[in-house]
Amino acid sequence: MFESLQRLFRHKPRTEIVWIDRDGEFSRSPGQAVYPSLPGHAFDLDGDLVLNGSDVRRLRRNLRVRGHLILQDCAQLQELPEGLLVGGDLILRNCPRVRALPPTLQVYGSVFLHTCPALERLCGGARVGRDLLVANCPALVAMEEGFLSSG
C-alpha cells in the first residue's frame, strides 16, 4: 500500500530552515518568496515541519513533508491541504478551527489528533500507515467509509 512512500522517503532528511506565511507560502527569509505556488505541483520539504503557536491559516496544496508534521497551538489553521503527504507522523494538537482531514491525506506513520474541538470527520480516501489516536475531539462524529489506518 505504501511502496511509493517508502521509495520517496528512503534517503536521510536534511535540516532546512524556512519561513511560512499565513497563507502557507514558504520562503528562506521573511517576505522573500522563493518557493512560489504552482498549481498542481508538489512541494517537497526534507525533514520535519514543526509549527508551534503559528498564525498560519492554511498550508499549500500538494505539500510533502519527508519527516514528521507537527501542528500545535495553531489557532488560525482552518484546514489541512489537499494532496498532503507525510513520511513520518502527523500530530495535530490544539488546532481549534480544523474541521476535517482531507480525503487525499497520506501519512506513512501515525496520526495523533488531540484537542481539536471543531474536528467533525475523517474523510474517506485518507491513508494512515500506522496508528490513529484521537483524544479530546468532542465534535468528531464520523469516520467516513474508505478512511484506512493500517495500525
Side-chain angles (χ1 to χ4, degrees):
M1 169 168 104
F2 285 98
E3 292 174 17
S4 62
L5 284 174
Q6 289 173 338
R7 285 193 302 273
L8 179 64
F9 297 115
R10 69 177 162 223
H11 75 282
K12 182 177 168 114
R14 69 179 197 274
T15 300
E16 182 175 8
I17 297 173
V18 295
W19 294 87
I20 184 169
D21 70 15
R22 293 181 69 177
D23 292 317
E25 294 302 318
F26 292 90
S27 64
R28 294 186 198 273
S29 63
Q32 177 189 10
V34 295
Y35 303 118
S37 290
L38 298 173
H41 288 81
F43 177 78
D44 288 326
L45 186 65
D46 285 339
D48 300 338
L49 177 57
V50 179
L51 297 175
N52 189 359
S54 171
D55 65 351
V56 67
R57 293 182 299 227
R58 67 185 59 87
L59 299 172
R60 67 185 299 161
R61 291 176 61 103
N62 299 316
L63 174 64
R64 294 180 184 175
V65 179
R66 294 176 188 263
H68 303 299
L69 175 57
I70 302 170
L71 303 167
Q72 180 170 296
D73 299 321
C74 296
Q76 302 304 314
L77 184 65
Q78 299 169 4
E79 61 187 15
L80 296 180
E82 291 293 323
L84 176 62
L85 189 118
V86 181
D89 295 335
L90 169 64
I91 300 171
L92 190 65
R93 183 172 184 267
N94 198 23
C95 297
R97 294 186 179 197
V98 175
R99 294 188 169 282
L101 297 183
T104 56
L105 174 68
Q106 293 185 40
V107 179
Y108 187 66
S110 296
V111 172
F112 301 92
L113 305 171
H114 191 280
T115 315
C116 298
L119 186 66
E120 298 173 335
R121 67 185 185 285
L122 305 177
C123 293
R127 302 282 187 253
V128 177
R130 299 190 76 182
D131 298 322
L132 171 66
L133 295 114
V134 180
N136 199 22
C137 299
L140 186 60
V141 294
M143 180 185 294
E144 294 179 4
E145 188 175 332
F147 184 93
L148 181 63
S149 176
S150 298

